[in-house]
Amino acid sequence: MSSRNGFQATDLALIAVFAALVAVLAVIPPMFMVGAVPFALQMVAVMLAPMVLGSIRGGCAVSLYILVGALGLPVFSGGSSGIGVLVGPTGGYLWGWLIGAFVAGAVATSVLRRRPRKSMLPVWLFVVALVDLVCVYLGGIFGLMGFAKLSLNAALAANLVLFGLDVVKGILACLIATAVLTAFPRLMP
């Protein structure tokens, strides 16, 4: 990505591909529901985008996904769409994804520019996944409190069940990102 000239064609293609990956994984039916929150595979793609693309491109990929869904394409979990999803019970998670993509992407960019040893790359990417998860879960908790009118304790309890499973998804995203960045080192932000 050239900061002087904006995005190159490759950057735009990567942003679109990762936004599409999130959308594709969103339409796969959730494994299960915890209250109003669907537990779907798209979280792997949401964590993968900032790991592989960094802050700006990863954040733009998640932004594109949210924009397309808000404009009416049925790309949100369960085939839903529209602005109402952004202010519904799961809306806080979408806002957390957006914030997490930029924040975790900034951590990924900082780590990857230091060119960590190959053996340490998965460890550093797991740190990136944890940063992303913290952003997502903070958004989700505040969303459940604000949009679904849950108490802090109820929102925390609803998320407690999911967090451990999302850590497993974070490990999967780390393994995928390690393979991608090892195979395509020029992709590093």
Side-chain angles (χ1 to χ4, degrees):
M1 184 172 87
S2 173
S3 59
R4 293 185 70 204
N5 299 326
F7 290 120
Q8 302 298 318
T10 304
D11 298 319
L12 296 175
L14 288 168
I15 289 166
V17 165
F18 274 83
L21 180 61
V22 175
V24 166
L25 291 178
V27 297
I28 295 172
M31 291 183 243
F32 56 86
M33 300 285 285
V34 175
V37 181
F39 188 78
L41 291 174
Q42 69 202 61
M43 190 63 190
V44 173
V46 169
M47 288 188 279
L48 192 59
M51 286 181 193
V52 172
L53 301 180
S55 181
I56 302 301
R57 295 181 301 176
C60 285
V62 174
S63 297
L64 178 60
Y65 165 76
I66 292 172
L67 177 65
V68 166
L71 291 175
L73 262 62
V75 296
F76 294 144
S77 186
S80 60
S81 65
I83 298 287
V85 176
L86 298 176
V87 294
T90 60
Y93 294 99
L94 293 170
W95 294 112
W97 287 2
L98 183 62
I99 294 166
F102 284 104
V103 172
V107 174
T109 300
S110 176
V111 165
L112 294 174
R113 284 191 177 154
R114 291 190 176 102
R115 302 289 188 228
R117 290 190 327 250
K118 186 177 178 181
S119 64
M120 291 301 294
L121 184 59
V123 174
W124 283 111
L125 290 174
F126 185 68
V127 170
V128 171
L130 291 177
V131 169
D132 205 351
L133 284 174
V134 166
C135 293
V136 169
Y137 275 83
L138 283 174
I141 288 167
F142 285 120
L144 288 172
M145 290 171 58
F147 302 136
K149 306 298 183 210
L150 293 182
S151 68
L152 175 60
N153 287 339
L156 287 170
N159 281 283
L160 190 58
V161 175
L162 298 175
F163 188 78
L165 294 172
D166 276 343
V167 168
V168 172
K169 291 178 188 177
I171 292 168
L172 177 60
C174 291
L175 295 173
I176 294 168
T178 299
V180 168
L181 293 172
T182 300
F184 303 100
R186 291 184 49 179
L187 201 56
M188 288 189 190

